[in-house]
Amino acid sequence: MKKLSRLSVFGYGAGDAANSMIISTGNMFLLVYYTDVAGIGAAAAGTLLLVARIFNAFTDIAAGRIVDRVHTRRWGKFRPFLMFGFIPLLLSVAVFHVPDVDPSLKLLYAYCTYGLVCLTYSMVNVPYGCLVGAMTQDAKDRARLGGARTIGGLSVGATLGFFIAPLLGAGQDMQQIFTWLTLAFAVVGSALYVFTGTVCVERVAGAVPRITLSQSIAALKANSPLVVLCLSSILFVTGTSATGAAQFFYLRDVLSRVDLFPVMAGAQVVITLTLAVLLPRPVARWGKRAVYSAGGGLGVLGGLLVFLAPATAPLLGLAGLVLGLLASASVSILTWALIADTVEYGEWKTGVRVQGINYALLAATRKLGMGFGGGVVAFSLAWGGYVSGTAEQSDAATLAIRAAAGLLPGALVLAAVGIMYWYRLTDQKHAELVASLSHDPA
């Protein structure tokens, strides 16, 4: 199969930049917005985030079924959905614009708007993720696409860290900042989705263009590597999402160093670019599972440092957060390559190439992890007695922030690494089963 062009790899990365304008903004700032701007209590906000992510997991699975039943002659199965990316982007503007009304109406508004974002985002994100398996079956090219995706997503995260987080100090009009930010993202992100849908051509066709429900169920039952990957992913993402959601509180209320947020953003850029270039080498030598586990080990160490670092040694806490970034970026790159491998495994076992539901299940577990991670932080804040707008938090509140940012994520990542012991689809095994598949990729 012909190697992917640089334009198609770049275009795929641009798609996740658009995704991150929705998801990263929410992961980093939605809890802060709900508690400190909209005036929603921490426990209520945590429940909202958890319920929304559980709902989002089901919408991902529904989107996967829809995608598996769609096929167009000109645009293929997945690219047409990207043209509707402007819908969740516009809804994100509404999410970050809660009206000043009765508290119960505020909460109802927040549930409705965020729920709509989750629903419409699934219909764009699931087919976007499926594109990896449809663009190429080459392991190195899939690693390139995974790297491009991570660069695209984290570039937006870095932008938020560099330019937005420092603006959210005391006395700033946070509502105005979030309104203009989400409006700008709606315009730019919509253009990026169209660009991705235009340049990312689908070159690997399934033997069955439209998959029935019974075929999907049979393929999933036979796909043990997918089950293991999903279980590991939900634990890993819960941990990393908790660290991400707690990071602002940790830097501001524990270390008293909000000025370190741009440093974290810079580290994010350097780490992502470096891993995107260097990670294929250790993967080629030791395999995806081994590198996945090594990356997770860094996350465990980072979580311990975040939890134990004294407030008088902020650089030690910063080092823990950087190790967490290393873990998150490396595992994220590998996860998108691993899920594409499970598609071929399922096809090898059943003769049916099921892409939409495979990716949807992984996306659902990641959404659950994001919800659980945000819930962990919110409930920890409520347990510790966090008070929004207070210059100095209580000892119980700072301990809760430390635990949410470091101790609990470290334990969850450790469990995620342990589960990957049962992932038996090695790179060599994958290459053998791809070679044995009957259809000849174009």
Side-chain angles (χ1 to χ4, degrees):
M1 178 176 283
K2 183 181 178 181
K3 292 289 184 181
L4 292 177
S5 67
R6 291 182 179 179
L7 178 63
S8 60
V9 174
F10 177 78
Y12 190 74
D16 207 52
N19 283 342
S20 293
M21 290 176 184
I22 303 168
I23 205 72
S24 293
T25 305
N27 288 344
M28 291 176 67
F29 299 126
L30 191 54
L31 182 57
V32 176
Y33 176 79
Y34 280 154
T35 57
D36 290 16
V37 181
I40 298 173
T47 302
L48 187 162
L49 293 175
L50 182 57
V51 170
R53 290 302 190 184
I54 293 173
F55 171 68
N56 204 180
F58 286 102
T59 62
D60 277 348
I61 294 172
R65 282 294 302 135
I66 292 171
V67 167
D68 277 335
R69 294 188 61 80
V70 168
H71 182 77
T72 65
R73 287 180 176 272
R74 181 176 180 181
W75 291 92
K77 293 178 69 67
F78 311 118
R79 294 191 293 160
F81 292 93
L82 299 182
M83 304 307 174
F84 296 95
F86 68 92
I87 298 175
L89 283 163
L90 286 175
L91 288 170
S92 292
V93 180
V95 166
F96 280 92
H97 208 281
V98 177
D100 187 13
V101 294
D102 182 79
S104 59
L105 292 178
K106 280 185 182 181
L107 197 57
L108 177 62
Y109 177 90
Y111 268 99
C112 291
T113 52
Y114 195 46
L116 285 172
V117 166
C118 291
L119 175 62
T120 55
Y121 179 69
S122 290
M123 293 305 303
V124 177
N125 185 50
V126 168
Y128 168 77
C130 294
L131 271 174
V132 171
M135 290 173 68
T136 181
Q137 288 180 310
D138 181 80
K140 192 169 182 179
D141 272 347
R142 284 184 174 176
R144 290 173 65 202
L145 291 174
R149 175 174 189 160
T150 303
I151 290 173
L154 291 184
S155 65
V156 173
T159 299
L160 293 172
F162 270 125
F163 302 110
I164 304 304
L167 300 178
L168 303 179
Q172 298 297 319
D173 188 346
M174 295 173 68
Q175 179 61 73
Q176 186 179 60
I177 292 170
F178 285 123
T179 297
W180 284 110
L181 174 69
T182 50
L183 283 171
F185 278 179
V187 174
V188 177
S190 298
L192 290 176
Y193 276 130
V194 172
F195 175 61
T196 301
T198 302
V199 303
C200 293
V201 179
E202 299 170 27
R203 301 189 297 169
V204 181
V208 183
R210 294 178 174 86
I211 312 300
T212 66
L213 180 60
S214 60
Q215 288 173 321
S216 294
I217 294 173
L220 293 176
K221 285 182 178 178
N223 206 325
S224 56
L226 174 64
V227 174
V228 173
L229 182 60
C230 286
L231 289 174
S232 178
S233 180
I234 192 171
L235 291 170
F236 188 88
V237 175
T238 299
T240 56
S241 295
T243 299
Q247 182 173 279
F248 182 80
F249 297 98
Y250 181 74
L251 292 175
R252 184 187 66 182
D253 299 316
V254 176
L255 301 183
S256 300
R257 292 293 302 272
V258 178
D259 61 300
L260 291 178
F261 225 114
V263 176
M264 285 296 300
Q268 197 173 40
V269 172
V270 172
I271 287 170
T272 304
L273 292 175
T274 303
L275 288 178
V277 173
L278 298 182
L279 203 60
R281 296 180 183 179
V283 166
R285 182 170 182 179
W286 293 297
K288 298 186 192 75
R289 187 182 71 173
V291 180
Y292 182 108
S293 299
L298 294 176
V300 175
L301 178 59
L304 289 175
L305 285 177
V306 167
F307 178 69
L308 297 174
T312 55
L315 293 183
L316 190 60
L318 181 68
L321 291 174
V322 169
L323 286 175
L325 284 179
L326 277 166
S328 179
S330 59
V331 170
S332 178
I333 290 173
L334 292 170
T335 296
W336 304 123
L338 288 167
I339 189 61
D341 290 354
T342 68
V343 170
E344 273 90 39
Y345 180 87
E347 184 179 11
W348 174 70
K349 289 283 287 187
T350 66
V352 178
R353 187 176 180 83
V354 178
Q355 300 178 84
I357 198 67
N358 271 45
Y359 178 81
L361 278 177
L362 179 67
T365 61
R366 292 178 67 83
K367 299 293 176 52
L368 285 174
M370 291 175 188
F372 293 153
V376 163
V377 177
F379 295 137
S380 294
L381 293 178
W383 171 79
Y386 171 81
V387 180
S388 64
T390 301
E392 186 173 347
Q393 299 292 333
S394 66
D395 290 342
T398 56
L399 177 63
I401 294 170
R402 285 179 180 275
L407 184 63
L408 293 174
L412 290 165
V413 170
L414 180 62
V417 171
I419 286 176
M420 284 299 285
Y421 171 79
W422 286 276
Y423 185 88
R424 304 299 168 84
L425 181 57
T426 63
D427 289 4
Q428 181 180 355
K429 175 70 174 177
H430 175 257
E432 292 172 356
L433 65 86
V434 167
S436 71
L437 290 175
S438 57
H439 71 273
D440 181 23

